[in-house]
Amino acid sequence: MAYDRYLAICYPLHYNCLMSQTVCLTLVLCIWTSGFLAAMIISMLIYQLDFPAQPQIDRFFCDFMPLLKAACSDVSLPEMFRLVASFTVTLIPFLLIITSYVYIISTILKIPLATGRHKAFSTCSSHLLVVAMYFGTLIALYVAPSTSNAVNLNKALSLLYTVATPMFNPIIYTLRNKEIREALRLTFRISSG
């Protein structure tokens, strides 16, 4: 989406040539393939670990880090892969998205009319909010050094990126739609009045 917004705002006249169906499909396949490969490798590494008969995992779901902490065998290889995967699957896409938004914002600031700037900012603000919420929690969990004292914070962050972000995603994007806002306004006015 960041690349799409970048092309739409920075190169509006070339958008149809640059964002073809082939480019879109290639981007989607690259993202899905990298996510699938990372998940498959992590699953294979965890499968090779030894665990106690009844491991206690203090999380809402079986996440990678608590599984490593519960393992009885050597976790140096999975830990090394976690670091590599954290940077390649989390930090690199986040930095690319932020870089595209730096270009987008610098282009928006050059728009002479305030209404044009407002429309361009409103197009990007919802996506930037979701990106910040999602990648912020992922970076805090997987890239930043963790402390063993922050078990409750890590559980809350895990819940935020697995439940809250997907739940807020449709709300954030649909509230940009004028008809949806008007329908909500009418609904709440009728029910309260």
Side-chain angles (χ1 to χ4, degrees), residues 49-119:
L49 296 176
D50 294 323
F51 293 96
Q54 293 184 350
Q56 296 291 318
I57 298 174
D58 189 22
R59 287 291 173 97
F60 298 113
F61 59 93
C62 288
D63 200 7
F64 186 62
M65 292 303 292
L67 283 174
L68 287 183
K69 289 178 183 168
C72 298
S73 53
D74 180 30
V75 294
S76 58
L77 183 63
E79 181 64 31
M80 185 177 65
F81 180 76
R82 179 195 70 85
L83 287 171
V84 171
S86 295
F87 281 96
T88 57
V89 177
T90 304
L91 206 55
I92 291 173
F94 179 69
L95 291 175
L96 289 172
I97 291 169
I98 294 302
T99 302
S100 70
Y101 274 106
V102 166
Y103 284 110
I104 289 169
I105 291 170
S106 68
T107 302
I108 290 173
L109 292 175
K110 293 175 188 172
I111 297 173
L113 297 173
T115 55
R117 282 194 303 268
H118 178 71
K119 184 177 179 183

